[in-house]
Amino acid sequence: MDEELKLLYVFLATGLVSMSAALSAGAINKLPDEDKPEFAKSRNGLVAVIMSGNYSVLTLLFAMAFGVLKLDWWIPLSCLFISFPVIHVVLLQRLLGDVKNLFIMMPLVVASGFALYYYW
């Protein structure tokens, strides 16, 4: 496989899961207290949601830096503002919902951190 194509796949995968997890954590955090899932009603659960969102945003920043350094500048920029949010809202949020999406994406976000470190 071509090296630049491999770097593009790494960027797309890491950026998408990071953006999706961050948006889901933000959506859960913004829910009214009566509509929050059971685990997020406790103080520790809410802290876990906030920390997972913060880690996801940090991984997204690293993915964007990776994309700008390794790819053309317009690819990460267009993905940040168009592709990643659209895929999250249109596909992932509708299929899984915010809570399932956060639980599915968080292990992938942790793996993304290692992938970014490895391919950097």
Side-chain angles (χ1 to χ4, degrees), residues 23-74:
L23 290 175
S24 291
I28 292 171
N29 194 27
K30 290 178 186 175
L31 288 173
D33 288 336
E34 58 270 1
D35 293 340
K36 286 185 181 179
E38 204 58 43
F39 76 93
K41 290 182 181 178
S42 70
R43 182 166 170 81
N44 289 339
L46 192 57
V47 168
V49 170
I50 292 169
M51 291 304 293
S52 63
N54 289 344
Y55 183 72
S56 299
V57 168
L58 185 64
T59 308
L60 179 63
L61 288 174
F62 286 136
M64 289 298 124
F66 176 83
V68 168
L69 290 175
K70 303 284 184 179
L71 305 168
D72 290 333
W73 64 270
W74 60 270

Side-chain angles (χ1 to χ4, degrees), residues 85-99:
V86 167
I87 292 171
H88 170 75
V89 171
V90 171
L91 187 66
L92 296 172
Q93 193 176 36
R94 288 189 181 176
L95 283 177
L96 302 173
D98 286 322
V99 176

Side-chain angles (χ1 to χ4, degrees), residues 77-92:
L77 192 64
S78 64
C79 288
L80 179 66
F81 292 113
I82 299 168
S83 302
F84 294 157
V86 167
I87 292 171
H88 170 75
V89 171
V90 171
L91 187 66
L92 296 172

